[in-house]
Amino acid sequence: MEKALLVSVQIKTDKHHWRIEDISSELEELAFSAGARVVENVISICQKPTANYLIGKGKVEEISLIACDEDVDAVIFSHDLSGTQQRNLEDAIGKKTLDRTQLILDIFSRRARSPEGKMQVELAQLQYLLPRLTGKGIILSRLGGGIGTRGPGEQKLEVDRRRIRKRIDKLKDDLRAFRSHRLVTHKRRKENNLLSVALVGYTSAGKSTLLNLLSGASQPTSEKLFTTLDPLSKSLQLPGGQNIILSDTVGFLHELPHHLIEAFKATLEEVREADLLVHVLDVDDHRLYQHNQAVQSVLEELGCGDKPVIAALNKIDLVEDRSWLELLKKEFAPGVLISAKNGENLDALISGIEGHFLGSMLNLKIFIPHTRMELVDFFYRQAKVNKIDYLQEGIRIDLGISRQLYSSLGSDKDIKVIG
Ligand SMILES: Nc1nc2c(ncn2[C@@H]2O[C@H](COP(=O)(O)OP(=O)(O)OP(=O)(O)O)[C@@H](O)[C@H]2O)c(=O)[nH]1
Ligand SMILES: [Mg+2]
């Protein structure tokens, strides 16, 4: 296990800044999730960044001493570093130096399982790397399978740069192929009028645990960050008979590196295609509000800021203060208090999802001929059948039906709307 020294940095001139305690606790979680053993977490608060080292020279010397004493394998900064800052820090400290984005990329590359996931991570890594390939001495050893090593000469860098650009284009092409496959699946879902619900939320909020419990899936779950990289969709029947598709997605993080959002856009298509989002929040995390804000900004970046959302306020088994929970429920309305771990209140969440779709449903009375018996089965699966009468001249059905489904049936001459 690699020994890591963490440096949590707060720069006063940064636009959004978290409290330093929150920055440093998240950095520890990230380092732990990357398999590192943290020996110390140094705090550095600066008025403004410096071009050479990001932080002050004195602090760099302090870090260098600790890194040497503790004989660490890596020094990890909570703040992004420019290529120059990274090189200078590395020279001054004499240890491998990473920034937060590299750490996240590292976790992602450890977790990627599917070919698409692996390609997305590699693309993000190369896009991170490309603008940093200037001068000499940049550490590339952490990034990607054997792409360059420490300090190749300028000429070699030129070659690498060309090679990297070519690889980026190839990855983009291959990912486009995955994307068109995904679009076919989404189109088929739309044709079958399946409503889709995406579980979104901060990493480790409990999305996969919830999917497993609701749908019998067996997605891996863990307290480490970014356990899920590949989306998984399962079908689920609501109590009224309506079938929906429920999807688990990659977790969000505050200031998620832009490369990653870009690279994972195809995977995040599940979120963009969803008719409803269930935002899973960890109520036991004191950074709940920051997490909520981070999720909102990623959703906006994905163009999903206006989608309907139900908040699943999760992990209530860990919170004793019921009045606070009730307050949260009001604040995050429409919200449901749940525990995905012990199954508490999941019925209420399901009712909330069903209620959302029923609310956007039309109540109709229709009449169909006996020759179209298959429609009865179809409505039982795709709509909410309230009443059905088998009459001599045909079948009369009272049903709640989504507008989407109703408009797709408009051309069926056998269906007569009678009320
Ligand atoms: N106590 C408690 N723990 C929970 C609950 N739901 C999830 N957890 C735990 O929280 C951790 C994270 O759960 P996951 O389901 O992996 O979270 P996720 O949102 O899928 O996380 P990523 O895939 O990393 O984005 C796991 O250790 C779960 O066992 C809950 O209701 N109560
Ligand atoms: Mg997960």
Side-chain angles (χ1 to χ4, degrees):
M1 190 180 265
E2 276 191 84
K3 273 163 77 176
L5 169 65
L6 306 186
V7 185
S8 303
V9 185
Q10 189 185 56
I11 310 271
K12 293 288 187 193
T13 50
D14 274 1
K15 259 197 299 191
H16 330 273
H17 52 80
W18 274 27
R19 290 184 321 162
I20 190 69
E21 304 88 289
D22 297 337
I23 293 174
S24 76
S25 63
E26 185 166 271
L27 186 64
E28 279 173 29
E29 285 166 39
L30 285 167
F32 166 71
S33 301
R37 186 162 68 80
V38 175
V39 295
E40 200 165 327
N41 191 345
V42 179
I43 304 282
S44 174
I45 298 178
C46 318
Q47 289 308 319
K48 57 180 185 4
T50 70
N52 289 344
Y53 296 102
L54 177 75
I55 56 175
K57 189 79 176 49
K59 201 73 186 178
V60 176
E61 275 158 21
E62 180 191 329
I63 291 164
S64 171
L65 283 177
I66 304 173
C68 241
D69 273 0
E70 296 280 354
D71 192 24
V72 299
D73 301 293
V75 178
I76 309 176
F77 281 72
S78 67
H79 198 281
D80 278 344
L81 301 170
S82 69
T84 314
Q85 288 166 340
Q86 186 178 18
R87 270 194 309 279
N88 291 343
L89 284 165
E90 180 129 327
D91 285 346
I93 301 170
K95 301 280 180 191
K96 180 167 71 184
T97 303
L98 314 177
D99 66 9
R100 180 175 181 265
T101 297
Q102 276 173 293
L103 180 60
I104 295 168
L105 287 169
D106 195 86
I107 300 172
F108 270 60
S109 68
R110 281 160 188 266
R111 302 280 195 275
R113 292 283 173 274
S114 70
E116 188 183 17
K118 286 184 179 157
M119 280 184 206
Q120 293 178 125
V121 176
E122 189 184 346
L123 176 62
Q125 285 179 322
L126 294 179
Q127 284 175 330
Y128 171 84
L129 189 57
L130 196 59
R132 287 174 164 75
L133 278 179
T134 51
K136 57 184 172 57
I138 190 166
I139 306 178
L140 308 179
S141 52
R142 293 282 296 178
L143 295 169
I147 311 155
T149 45
R150 176 192 259 277
E154 277 298 323
Q155 206 184 354
K156 170 94 187 316
L157 276 177
E158 275 309 314
V159 176
D160 280 346
R161 223 176 268 149
R162 256 204 310 277
R163 221 184 63 203
I164 288 172
R165 278 207 192 94
K166 259 176 90 175
R167 181 74 186 143
I168 286 179
D169 290 343
K170 168 92 172 66
L171 285 167
K172 281 186 174 166
D173 277 354
D174 292 352
L175 283 168
R176 260 193 286 276
F178 276 104
R179 180 156 191 256
S180 46
H181 181 74
R182 204 180 285 284
L183 288 178
V184 172
T185 313
H186 289 151
K187 198 160 155 253
R188 205 173 306 134
R189 273 190 214 161
K190 286 250 167 355
E191 282 163 6
N192 289 323
N193 294 295
L194 278 173
L195 295 168
S196 63
V197 178
L199 299 173
V200 296
Y202 214 75
T203 178
S204 232
K207 300 175 292 298
S208 304
T209 309
L210 182 58
L211 180 86
N212 289 348
L213 213 67
L214 290 177
S215 73
S218 42
Q219 279 283 73
T221 64
S222 97
E223 78 276 21
K224 291 193 171 166
L225 308 184
F226 299 118
T227 306
T228 309
L229 279 203
D230 299 312
L232 177 76
S233 300
K234 296 289 276 185
S235 91
L236 184 75
Q237 195 173 45
L238 298 177
Q242 168 85 50
N243 279 310
I244 60 163
I245 298 284
L246 187 63
S247 305
D248 189 11
T249 56
V250 59
F252 299 166
L253 191 80
H254 91 111
E255 287 169 34
L256 200 58
H258 187 72
H259 307 99
L260 271 179
I261 300 187
E262 266 305 310
F264 274 77
K265 265 205 167 135
T267 306
L268 290 165
E269 204 85 22
E270 288 298 339
V271 179
R272 290 204 268 187
E273 284 294 318
D275 299 293
L276 172 69
L277 304 179
V278 169
H279 178 185
V280 184
L281 287 130
D282 177 352
V283 293
D284 186 46
D285 197 309
H286 66 278
R287 297 160 300 189
L288 171 72
Y289 289 97
Q290 283 110 304
H291 288 181
N292 177 48
Q293 216 159 43
V295 170
Q296 300 309 332
S297 54
V298 179
L299 287 177
E300 256 149 49
E301 186 158 350
L302 291 172
C304 300
D306 296 333
K307 277 201 190 284
V309 181
I310 295 179
L313 297 155
N314 189 33
K315 309 200 188 180
I316 56 166
D317 54 297
L318 299 175
V319 176
E320 275 172 16
D321 187 350
R322 295 297 305 185
S323 58
W324 185 65
L325 289 177
E326 288 303 324
L327 209 74
L328 282 180
K329 193 173 149 187
K330 283 204 191 93
E331 213 171 319
F332 285 90
V336 187
L337 299 168
I338 62 160
S339 165
K341 191 153 197 166
N342 61 24
E344 200 177 334
N345 229 9
L346 294 191
D347 296 354
L349 177 61
I350 291 291
S351 306
I353 295 173
E354 190 163 47
H356 168 81
F357 289 130
L358 286 176
S360 58
M361 274 188 177
L362 298 168
N363 283 312
L364 296 176
K365 289 185 178 42
I366 59 164
F367 195 81
I368 56 172
H370 287 296
T371 50
R372 299 296 306 279
M373 265 305 281
E374 85 281 1
L375 281 173
V376 173
D377 185 43
F378 175 79
F379 287 130
Y380 267 113
R381 275 187 290 114
Q382 306 291 350
K384 186 166 175 19
V385 175
N386 298 321
K387 188 161 178 267
I388 187 156
D389 294 314
Y390 292 91
L391 309 172
Q392 210 165 9
E393 47 299 9
I395 306 163
R396 198 175 67 195
I397 312 172
D398 286 10
L399 81 175
I401 185 170
S402 69
R403 285 172 201 279
Q404 198 186 4
L405 181 56
Y406 178 61
S407 60
S408 73
L409 292 174
S411 55
D412 193 324
K413 300 269 182 300
D414 283 338
I415 303 175
K416 294 203 170 51
V417 178
I418 53 172

